[in-house]
Amino acid sequence: MAPILPLLSGLLSLAVFSHSAVAAPATEALNKPHDNNTYEYIVVGSGPGGGPIAANLAKAGHSVLLLEAGDDQTQNVNVSQWTNFLLSGNDPATRWDFFVKHSDDEARESRYIRTTWRKPDGGFYVGLDPPAGSKRLGIYYPRAGTLGGCAMHNGCLTMNPNDLDWDDIARITGDESWSAKNMRKYLVKLENAHYNSTSPHGHSGWLDTTMLDSGFSSNPDAKTMIELASQASGFQISEASDLQQRDMNGDQANRDSLVGPFGGVSHIKPDGRRSSPGYYVKETVDAGKYPLTLQLESLVTKVIFDKGDTPKAIGVEYLKGKSLYSADPRSNPNDKGTPGKAYASKEVIISGGAFNTPQILLLSGIGPKAQLKKFDIPVIVDNPDVGRNLADNYESSMLSLAARDVNGPGQIFPSFFKTTVGKIRDIYMWCGGFSFEGFWPGFPQDHGPKQYECAIVHMNPRSQAGSVTLQSANPRDVPNINLQFFKDGSEKDLQAIYEATSWVRSWLGKAPTTAGSIGPFTEMHPCEGVVGSQNCTVESQKTYIKEQAYSHHATSSCRIGEVLDSKFRVKGVKGLRVVDASSFPKVPGGFPVLPTMMLSEKATEDVLADAKKY
């Protein structure tokens, strides 16, 4: 395969092209010096889990040190303007480059079309025919190494999971505070909703949420497609206008069974600026009246324990310096960083995300005994589940080309779908004139102004066999990550994605085909040909889905139940919690960013309830 050009999708026609934008200098807002560098709480990581809890604890009057390995890119327009999110995902100032495996099947891995290689000259090659001497890196999985974490480079889609997702945690733990009914109060608490809804919402929280314009009233193509999807969902065409404004974060009765088009809620301000934990942290620090210390460019290397009868976390060790983690494309191995330590009189809270949190725990001596001994790491707690049970939603797409240019390429509408193998709605998708086929350096590929896609997210995947393991005892090295896609329950999961793709095809094939109309559509994958006239087997489509599925919603590598109790406390030690997406027993809904922020609000309550014990 020829090298894939790093072309940007039609979505970027809306964006401000700003690769040359220079971010504001990294800033550190430090409050009064603390004796012996001791704080009540240390929070590691400023993303959707760590950022909010650090700010919340400081607002409750507790001294907090927030350590972030990245710098401050909040003024970088690739970040601040949400329509630039694809640019942000490719921006070396914000990204951390992880490369993962999808399975142990090397033959299957070798057929992944977007496989990334390191060329002899140091650059990337994407494809299946690399230059001689290239080294296979694997499947690209970008993360954000910056203040605010992955909420600073995502597409801002903001969805409260199905109620069953929350109720399952309550059932697993026996802790009713995890019920969907109770968890909704954290959504209301954190949000500042700028849209109308029949459901009660918060309007004074730190996270701005806005319902995006689908183009239904102004764009004939958008109107046509939403009407077709509405009809295919069992509604009348006359109901499409109301359907595309439904609140996906509402508290409607029987919401887990509601299908068809919805309004797209996003964590952005009405003026198009991104809203995220990074800005919440900045605002809290800049207020100058809360005991929050933000220390950037500080890579935490391990947790420090007081090794009594039950070890207690009393601080962390870190390296101070720019771009020290090797996943940072700007990293230089010759920059060693400056070692430092900080201490917590109450608790250490790890919020590094599904990849870095288990790495920190393992480096600190919490994890499978055999793995720790392999790298001569003293064992604090032998817990075989640290870094195990890694889960991720499966993502695929039905990509096609219209008969003519698509009007309003950036106007997108989301929709829910229930397959025959799901007990509740198990597919979330968003459709519009764009191209998104996964991640690789320079993603996405622009297929021109005729491109039209429904990106498909399979919620509640049945396999949680993925793993995060140490590559070495060097905290600057990335861990080994194997997602083990489709290892368990593959028959039902592949059937679900196949049904979702077929459903899209069913209504796409009904688009008008008269002269000048948007139809007919020609499908590019997973079944090539004019929609309605293809001759692909079910098996060939499932094979394509299995081998080319992608993801970016990793969770559960330190999940509640095995590694944590229901209050986020790490089992076997004192004074240590994990508050991030790695905590979830399974992937929550279609997009973990909002549920992780909700989780952070809940964790704040749990931490404050225990504060008087210290």
Side-chain angles (χ1 to χ4, degrees):
M1 174 179 289
I4 295 173
L5 297 176
L7 299 173
L8 299 174
S9 82
L11 276 176
L12 292 183
S13 64
L14 298 178
V16 178
F17 286 84
S18 49
H19 276 302
S20 61
V22 178
T27 59
E28 290 188 11
L30 299 177
N31 293 328
K32 295 179 181 178
H34 288 251
D35 292 340
N36 300 318
N37 207 21
T38 299
Y39 306 77
E40 290 178 275
Y41 296 96
I42 295 175
V43 180
V44 179
S46 65
I53 195 171
N56 292 343
L57 292 174
K59 286 189 171 184
H62 296 283
S63 62
V64 180
L65 172 64
L66 176 58
L67 295 169
E68 165 59 49
D71 59 13
D72 178 7
Q73 294 291 324
T74 54
Q75 300 307 306
N76 181 340
V77 296
N78 286 348
V79 171
S80 62
Q81 300 299 312
W82 86 272
T83 50
N84 291 343
F85 74 92
L86 294 176
L87 293 174
S88 178
N90 283 287
D91 191 337
T94 66
R95 75 176 203 257
W96 276 2
D97 296 339
F98 286 91
F99 295 91
V100 307
K101 296 177 67 174
H102 279 174
S103 71
D104 291 324
D105 184 343
E106 289 302 319
R108 174 178 146 194
E109 295 292 290
S110 69
R111 292 191 291 270
Y112 188 76
I113 295 171
R114 310 291 188 177
T115 297
T116 302
W117 308 72
R118 181 75 70 185
K119 297 188 297 183
D121 65 5
F124 290 125
Y125 168 90
V126 179
L128 300 179
D129 187 23
S134 298
K135 176 184 177 183
R136 190 167 91 179
L137 299 174
I139 298 166
Y140 188 49
Y141 202 116
R143 301 281 81 188
T146 187
L147 176 63
C150 289
M152 302 299 280
H153 79 165
N154 65 351
C156 296
L157 292 164
T158 310
M159 187 182 82
N160 187 17
N162 288 320
D163 289 347
L164 183 62
D165 290 348
W166 294 122
D167 290 339
D168 271 350
I169 303 179
R171 177 184 56 80
I172 291 168
T173 62
D175 184 345
E176 282 302 310
S177 67
W178 282 99
S179 69
K181 182 178 180 180
N182 188 62
M183 290 303 297
R184 181 167 182 83
K185 74 181 183 184
Y186 301 114
L187 168 61
V188 173
K189 181 179 180 181
L190 68 86
E191 70 179 341
N192 180 17
H194 296 281
Y195 61 94
N196 295 323
S197 174
T198 57
S199 299
H201 278 281
H203 301 285
S204 59
W206 59 267
L207 185 74
D208 294 273
T209 58
T210 303
M211 187 177 290
L212 301 181
D213 180 7
S214 68
F216 185 87
S217 300
S218 59
N219 186 308
D221 285 351
K223 183 174 186 291
T224 295
M225 306 314 285
I226 293 171
E227 288 178 340
L228 290 172
S230 299
Q231 192 172 36
S233 302
F235 297 96
Q236 300 296 318
I237 287 181
S238 59
E239 297 177 272
S241 179
D242 291 335
L243 292 174
Q244 57 93 32
Q245 297 182 70
R246 285 189 294 176
D247 180 8
M248 67 172 62
N249 292 335
D251 62 350
Q252 305 96 330
N254 201 29
R255 67 185 293 265
D256 291 5
S257 298
L258 300 179
V259 297
F262 272 76
V265 180
S266 298
H267 56 91
I268 64 173
K269 296 176 181 289
D271 64 2
R273 288 181 297 141
R274 182 184 295 269
S275 179
S276 84
Y279 295 102
Y280 181 37
V281 169
K282 287 269 290 184
E283 290 164 4
T284 304
V285 171
D286 291 345
K289 58 183 179 180
Y290 304 112
L292 175 60
T293 300
L294 170 62
Q295 185 171 312
L296 300 168
E297 298 178 344
S298 300
L299 178 69
V300 170
T301 58
K302 67 182 294 186
V303 178
I304 304 170
F305 290 97
D306 180 358
K307 301 174 185 177
D309 292 337
T310 301
K312 181 183 185 302
I314 59 171
V316 297
E317 295 182 6
Y318 60 86
L319 291 174
K320 188 76 171 68
K322 188 175 182 63
S323 303
L324 293 178
Y325 197 52
S326 62
D328 191 317
R330 303 164 296 176
S331 180
N332 182 345
N334 294 321
D335 295 336
K336 302 302 182 183
T338 303
K341 295 181 181 181
Y343 297 92
S345 61
K346 293 186 183 295
E347 295 188 16
V348 174
I349 299 168
I350 307 298
S351 302
F355 298 160
N356 291 107
T357 287
Q359 181 180 20
I360 292 171
L361 292 185
L362 291 165
L363 291 170
S364 304
I366 300 176
K369 184 177 181 179
Q371 186 180 162
L372 300 179
K373 286 197 168 185
K374 176 182 177 181
F375 297 107
D376 296 321
I377 299 171
V379 178
I380 301 295
V381 176
D382 177 12
N383 188 325
D385 289 301
V386 174
R388 293 181 58 193
N389 304 305
L390 180 69
D392 211 331
N393 288 330
Y394 299 132
E395 297 186 53
S396 185
S397 59
M398 197 284 212
L399 178 63
S400 61
L401 298 178
R404 57 157 171 78
D405 293 358
V406 177
N407 293 319
Q411 292 182 313
I412 297 171
F413 74 93
S415 190
F416 286 99
F417 178 71
K418 181 187 177 301
T419 71
T420 62
V421 295
K423 54 184 177 180
I424 59 172
R425 58 187 186 185
D426 52 343
I427 298 291
Y428 176 86
M429 65 181 71
W430 66 103
C431 304
F434 65 93
S435 162
F436 185 73
E437 304 163 271
F439 298 90
W440 61 89
F443 76 96
Q445 183 174 0
D446 188 345
H447 296 282
K450 295 181 180 181
Q451 62 190 11
Y452 192 89
E453 177 178 322
C454 282
I456 296 167
V457 178
H458 174 37
M459 301 183 288
N460 302 136
R462 291 164 176 81
S463 182
Q464 287 200 245
S467 64
V468 179
T469 58
L470 293 178
Q471 180 185 162
S472 75
N474 184 349
R476 299 180 64 179
D477 288 342
V478 298
N480 298 311
I481 302 162
N482 189 331
L483 293 164
Q484 296 287 8
F485 272 13
F486 300 106
K487 185 170 185 179
D488 302 312
S490 63
E491 183 176 339
K492 288 185 177 180
D493 285 340
L494 288 169
Q495 178 65 22
I497 302 171
Y498 166 74
E499 288 182 16
T501 306
S502 299
W503 180 75
V504 173
R505 196 177 290 131
S506 75
W507 55 264
L508 210 62
K510 295 180 180 179
T513 58
T514 54
S517 295
I518 194 170
F521 285 87
T522 301
E523 186 172 333
M524 298 182 69
H525 62 67
C527 180
E528 294 183 24
V530 176
V531 174
S533 303
Q534 300 112 305
N535 189 29
C536 299
T537 65
V538 172
E539 193 60 34
S540 68
Q541 293 180 69
K542 288 184 177 180
T543 296
Y544 178 90
I545 292 167
K546 183 176 183 179
E547 294 184 350
Q548 306 306 326
Y550 54 91
S551 63
H552 61 303
H553 301 151
T555 70
S556 311
S557 51
C558 295
R559 65 180 183 174
I560 290 169
E562 283 87 4
V563 179
L564 314 175
D565 68 13
S566 70
K567 305 298 183 185
F568 307 94
R569 294 173 293 215
V570 177
K571 293 182 177 182
V573 298
K574 296 178 180 178
L576 182 63
R577 299 192 206 229
V578 167
V579 180
D580 60 24
S582 73
S583 308
F584 288 109
K586 64 179 183 179
V587 186
F591 296 88
V593 63
L594 178 62
T596 302
M597 296 175 195
M598 293 167 66
L599 175 149
S600 188
E601 296 292 332
K602 184 184 191 305
T604 299
E605 280 192 4
D606 293 333
V607 171
L608 291 175
D610 285 345
K612 294 180 180 179
K613 295 180 181 179
Y614 297 99

